């Protein structure tokens, strides 16, 4: 039997150029093809289906279409756990009904983790949790559960006590292993290292399907992060080969299947002339550093004519200032008319208007608007 392992879809992740829904749909179309090509029997998603616990309608529709395609049209089982970005309660709503369709969703930990039995494998889901939830199950053991690692070990010990050694035992967890390598998009893991756990808590399982960290990596031969299926940040993530993993429960072989990106990510640095003549990057999300110009609205507008997917622009410092200039698409979308006026004056004339001058400008703009309304 073959089980596909994926995680960290982050459906609904914002992108100020518009949306990442197209990138995520591109991944899902590949996922469906891989499921069929490799004759996969079940799909595991190890958390962070969504990017936020309160997500948008587009993301919900994309998830709905994905589970319908996998479970109904392709006839495969699917095991999903909630990650730290998900709302576990929302994700697991209608759980019993979903199980009848072959979708097993675990939104919150339980004291007695029931396995999902498929073929010769028992799959134990452990959604993202905090230490206090485990202490609530074992109040008499509070002093023995001082950390996230201790709490995870208690849950795994309870599973190990009852699991059948003649079966292939798989655990699904959304966790930060202490030795894991992070990417810039691993926001929660970077600030939550106190909740990391050692790989030893998962001893005794045939395969550990992990989510939470976006870089695909093997902690050990059998403890794996599939990583995010899309490049969500610049830096180290630019060179990563995104993938899904396929675990064969008979041979115990693990196969990595590479994914293509609808939009790759690249960081560029050079003079304006050097960057403006670069080819084959028009469809990439770009972080651009122009070494001989100030990062201005005008420069961003010029470069976007050729490179419409620029997300971040950096440039040389203003004269007499040691600070690098910068502007991002995120900042640009938040600028109103007054912000644009102030930035223009600062960029072109190195002049910052006073509060009285800004108020006068606002009055003039308001007056023009009122005249326009009157026809």
């Amino acid at each position: 039997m073959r089980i596909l392992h994926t995680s960290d879809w982050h459906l609904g992740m914002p992108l100020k150029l518009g949306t990442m829904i197209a990138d995520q749909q591109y991944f899902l179309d590949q996922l469906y093809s891989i499921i069929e090509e490799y004759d996969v029997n079940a799909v595991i998603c190890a958390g962070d289906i969504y990017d936020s616990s309160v997500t948008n309608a587009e993301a919900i529709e994309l998830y709905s279409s994905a589970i319908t395609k996998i479970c109904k049209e392709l006839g495969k089982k699917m095991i999903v756990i909630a990650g730290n970005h998900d709302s576990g309660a929302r994700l697991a709503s209608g759980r019993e009904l979903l199980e009848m369709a072959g979708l097993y969703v675990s939104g919150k930990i339980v004291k007695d983790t029931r396995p999902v039995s498929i073929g010769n494998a028992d799959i134990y889901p452990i959604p993202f949790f905090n230490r206090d939830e485990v202490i609530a199950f074992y109040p008499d053991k509070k002093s023995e559960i001082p950390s996230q690692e201790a709490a995870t070990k208690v849950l795994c010990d309870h599973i190990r006590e009852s699991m059948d050694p003649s079966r292939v035992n798989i655990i699904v967890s959304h966790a930060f292993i202490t030795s894991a390598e992070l990417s810039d998009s691993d926001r929660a893991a970077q600030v939550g290292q106190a909740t990391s756990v050692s790989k030893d808590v998962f001893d005794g399982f045939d395969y550990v399907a992990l989510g939470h960290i976006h870089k695909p990596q093997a902690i050990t031969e059998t403890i794996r992060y599939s990583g995010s299926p899309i490049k969500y940040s610049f830096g180290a993530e630019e060179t990563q080969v995104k993938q899904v993993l396929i675990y064969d429960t008979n041979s115990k072989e693990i196969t990595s299947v590479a994914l293509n990106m609808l939009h790759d990510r690249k960081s560029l640095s050079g003079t304006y002339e050097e960057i403006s003549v670069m080819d084959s990057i028009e469809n990439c999300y770009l972080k651009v550093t122009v070494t001989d110009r100030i990062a201005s609205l005008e420069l961003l507008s010029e470069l976007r004519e050729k490179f419409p997917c620029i997300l971040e622009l950096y440039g040389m410092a203003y004269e007499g200032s040691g600070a690098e200039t910068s502007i991002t698409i995120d900042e640009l979308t938040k600028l109103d008319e007054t912000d644009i006026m102030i930035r223009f004056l600062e960029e072109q004339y190195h002049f910052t208007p006073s509060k009285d001058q800004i108020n006068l400008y606002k009055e003039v703009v308001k007056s023009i608007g009122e005249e326009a309304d009157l026809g």
Side-chain angles (χ1 to χ4, degrees):
M1 185 177 73
R2 282 171 290 279
I3 298 174
L4 187 146
H5 169 200
T6 179
S7 72
D8 295 273
W9 293 0
H10 288 276
L11 303 181
M13 179 175 280
L15 182 72
K16 293 305 180 180
L17 284 173
T19 175
M20 293 205 75
I21 291 294
D23 299 79
Q24 292 163 341
Q25 182 65 67
Y26 188 75
F27 151 64
L28 288 171
D29 289 339
Q30 292 179 78
L31 179 66
Y32 307 145
S33 297
I34 292 167
I35 289 171
E36 293 188 284
E37 180 182 348
Y38 287 82
D39 194 22
V40 167
N41 302 94
V43 175
I44 287 171
C45 187
D48 283 353
I49 284 284
Y50 294 115
D51 189 58
S52 171
S53 59
V54 181
T55 193
N56 57 54
E58 264 190 318
I60 294 170
E61 177 59 31
L62 193 57
Y63 173 62
S64 179
S65 67
I67 59 178
T68 300
K69 176 72 174 184
I70 293 169
C71 296
K72 183 178 179 181
E73 296 182 30
L74 299 179
K76 311 300 181 181
K77 305 292 186 183
M78 188 170 181
I79 299 92
V80 174
I81 64 169
N84 56 300
H85 284 255
D86 297 311
S87 166
R90 286 198 181 104
L91 201 61
S93 178
R95 177 177 176 175
E96 292 79 8
L97 187 61
L98 294 174
E99 289 183 2
M100 294 173 64
L103 176 62
Y104 301 83
V105 181
S106 184
K108 189 175 182 180
I109 59 167
V110 294
K111 184 174 182 179
D112 297 308
T113 303
R114 178 169 58 94
V116 178
S117 296
I118 304 173
N120 64 341
D122 285 341
I123 303 170
Y124 294 88
I126 300 182
F128 186 79
F129 67 94
N130 62 59
R131 182 177 66 96
D132 290 341
E133 292 177 79
V134 178
I135 291 174
F137 295 144
Y138 305 94
D140 56 325
K141 294 184 178 181
K142 183 176 180 179
S143 62
E144 300 173 29
I145 311 175
S147 64
Q148 186 77 6
E149 173 155 356
T152 305
K153 186 175 184 302
V154 166
L155 290 177
C156 291
D157 282 346
H158 195 62
I159 293 172
R160 280 185 282 255
E161 288 172 4
S162 59
M163 70 184 190
D164 184 349
S166 69
R167 305 272 293 168
V168 177
N169 291 288
I170 298 170
I171 200 159
V172 185
S173 178
H174 197 80
F176 176 23
I177 304 297
T178 305
S179 59
E181 296 181 39
L182 305 181
S183 302
D184 289 348
S185 59
D186 288 313
R187 306 185 297 274
Q190 289 170 348
V191 298
Q193 295 195 27
T195 61
S196 64
V197 302
S198 73
K199 66 181 185 305
D200 299 335
V201 297
F202 297 116
D203 284 350
F205 293 97
D206 295 288
Y207 184 75
V208 180
L210 293 173
H212 194 35
I213 304 303
H214 291 183
K215 179 181 179 179
Q217 56 195 290
I219 302 301
T220 69
E221 184 59 30
T222 57
I223 302 177
R224 300 288 187 109
Y225 282 105
S226 62
S228 64
I230 294 169
K231 298 179 180 181
Y232 285 124
S233 66
F234 294 105
E237 206 159 354
E238 294 175 38
T239 58
Q240 291 172 13
V241 177
K242 296 301 186 179
Q243 62 177 31
V244 295
L245 298 169
I246 297 175
Y247 176 68
D248 190 311
T249 62
N250 297 321
S251 66
K252 307 296 177 68
E253 181 181 356
I254 301 168
T255 302
S256 169
V257 183
L259 298 167
N260 297 316
M261 300 293 105
L262 180 62
H263 296 93
D264 207 349
R265 282 188 183 248
K266 291 186 181 296
S267 295
L268 310 175
S269 181
T271 65
Y272 176 81
E273 184 177 350
E274 289 170 341
I275 289 172
S276 61
V277 296
M278 291 182 179
D279 292 320
S280 305
I281 55 173
E282 292 82 359
N283 200 43
C284 295
Y285 293 134
L286 298 176
K287 176 182 177 181
V288 177
T289 299
V290 181
T291 58
D292 61 346
R293 292 202 186 184
I294 290 168
S296 64
L297 295 174
E298 181 181 2
L299 178 59
L300 180 61
S301 178
E302 287 179 24
L303 289 172
R304 287 188 71 190
E305 289 184 12
K306 181 172 182 181
F307 309 121
C309 295
I310 290 180
L311 297 182
E312 301 177 22
L313 175 64
Y314 298 86
M316 60 186 289
Y318 289 121
E319 186 175 349
S321 168
E324 182 182 55
T325 55
S326 67
I327 184 168
T328 68
I329 294 299
D330 184 44
E331 293 170 342
L332 182 62
T333 59
K334 295 176 182 176
L335 296 178
D336 60 18
E337 291 175 331
T338 303
D339 295 325
I340 292 172
M341 179 273 292
I342 294 171
R343 181 136 192 165
F344 174 79
L345 291 175
E346 289 176 339
E347 291 174 353
Q348 298 299 319
Y349 302 104
H350 308 300
F351 170 73
T352 301
S354 67
K355 185 176 180 180
D356 288 341
Q357 290 169 325
I358 292 171
N359 288 335
L360 179 61
Y361 173 80
K362 289 180 178 179
E363 289 177 12
V364 171
V365 171
K366 181 180 178 182
S367 170
I368 294 171
E370 290 173 348
E371 290 180 9
D373 290 338
L374 293 174

